[in-house]
Amino acid sequence: MVRYALLRTVLDPLLAVSGPDGLAHLEFLPQAWEYHTRAHALARSLFGDDRDIHEEPGAFAELRDQLAEYFIGHRHEFTIALDLHGSDFQLKVWRQLLKIPYGKVRTYGQIAKTLRQPLATRAVGQAAGHNPLPILVPCHRVVGKGGSLVGFAGGITTKARLLRLEGHTLGEAARIEEPRLF
C-alpha cells in the first residue's frame, strides 16, 4: 500500500508519500489544494498503477514530529526509513548528501570530488535538484562555488532559511543567486 499526507510546516506545506519500504517522496507544495492529484501521480510513477493509494495522515506522525523538532532546532538527524528511487549516480549523490553534518555545507564540486568524478559538478547539481526527499536528504547544505546559494526545489529563500536554522550566518546576503539557464 502507498500512503500520502499533506504536512503543514513552518515553511510551505509538504506532500509526503511512502511505500512499503519507507518514505519515498517529500515535496514542497505551495498550492496545497492539488495534493491529492499530485500524490496519486507520484505514487503511480514510483510504485506502478496497481498499488492501493490512500491518504493516511496518521502514518506520518513520526515524520511530522521529527520535522517539528528540526524546525525548532532540537533535531539534527532524522531516523525515518527512506526509500530512495533514482539512477545509480543519483543514489550515489544522495548518499553523499546524507553524510553532510548538520550545520555544515559542501560545494557541488566537493561532492563531485568525493565521488571521484571531479568534472561531474553539473551532474551533481542535477542529481541534487532531483532529490526526492529535501530536508531529510539535505541538499540545502550544498552551495555553489564561493558559497553562493543556488538551486533548491523549495526556492532560494527557503534554502537560506534552512541554512540559517542550522546556524549559518550566510555572510553577505547578496550572495544569493537566482538559477541560470546558461
Side-chain angles (χ1 to χ4, degrees), residues 10 12 16 41 57-58 64 67-68 84 88 109 116 125 128 131 133 135-136 174 179:
V10 296
D12 285 332
R64 186 178 291 111
L67 284 169
L84 292 166
D88 288 341
R116 295 189 174 114
N131 172 15
L133 295 167
I135 304 172
L136 279 71

Side-chain angles (χ1 to χ4, degrees), residues 22-57:
L23 185 66
H25 198 85
L26 191 65
E27 179 178 332
F28 291 96
L29 202 63
Q31 286 107 7
W33 50 268
E34 67 183 7
Y35 82 98
H36 293 290
T37 305
R38 182 72 180 137
H40 281 265
L42 282 167
R44 284 191 303 277
S45 73
L46 289 169
F47 302 106
D49 290 332
D50 59 340
R51 293 289 189 142
D52 288 331
I53 305 167
H54 297 283
E55 180 179 21
E56 197 172 323

Side-chain angles (χ1 to χ4, degrees), residues 90-108:
Q90 287 173 325
L91 292 171
K92 287 177 188 177
V93 170
W94 299 336
R95 285 187 204 110
Q96 287 302 312
L97 299 181
L98 285 167
K99 294 177 182 179
I100 304 172
Y102 180 93
K104 303 292 182 187
V105 293
R106 301 288 184 270
T107 66
Y108 296 100

Side-chain angles (χ1 to χ4, degrees), residues 23-181:
L23 185 66
H25 198 85
L26 191 65
E27 179 178 332
F28 291 96
L29 202 63
Q31 286 107 7
W33 50 268
E34 67 183 7
Y35 82 98
H36 293 290
T37 305
R38 182 72 180 137
H40 281 265
L42 282 167
R44 284 191 303 277
S45 73
L46 289 169
F47 302 106
D49 290 332
D50 59 340
R51 293 289 189 142
D52 288 331
I53 305 167
H54 297 283
E55 180 179 21
E56 197 172 323
F60 297 93
E62 183 65 25
L63 173 61
R64 186 178 291 111
D65 291 347
Q66 288 190 27
L67 284 169
E69 291 169 1
Y70 170 79
F71 287 129
I72 61 171
H74 291 162
R75 176 171 289 277
H76 296 179
E77 294 181 16
F78 295 94
T79 58
I80 302 294
L82 305 180
D83 183 17
L84 292 166
H85 296 256
S87 70
D88 288 341
F89 183 78
Q90 287 173 325
L91 292 171
K92 287 177 188 177
V93 170
W94 299 336
R95 285 187 204 110
Q96 287 302 312
L97 299 181
L98 285 167
K99 294 177 182 179
I100 304 172
Y102 180 93
K104 303 292 182 187
V105 293
R106 301 288 184 270
T107 66
Y108 296 100
Q110 287 172 319
I111 300 291
K113 286 177 186 169
T114 302
L115 295 172
R116 295 189 174 114
Q117 294 181 301
L119 301 178
T121 302
R122 286 182 185 223
V124 167
Q126 288 177 339
H130 288 95
N131 172 15
L133 295 167
I135 304 172
L136 279 71
V137 176
C139 55
H140 63 278
R141 296 179 189 153
V142 184
V143 296
K145 189 168 30 171
S148 60
L149 298 185
V150 292
F152 186 67
I156 298 299
T157 302
T158 299
K159 183 173 189 166
R161 288 178 70 188
L162 292 170
L163 288 172
R164 284 189 181 105
L165 170 76
E166 294 186 11
H168 289 278
T169 61
L170 300 181
E172 306 162 22
R175 292 165 73 133
I176 297 175
E177 295 179 13
E178 292 300 319
R180 290 176 266 177
L181 293 176

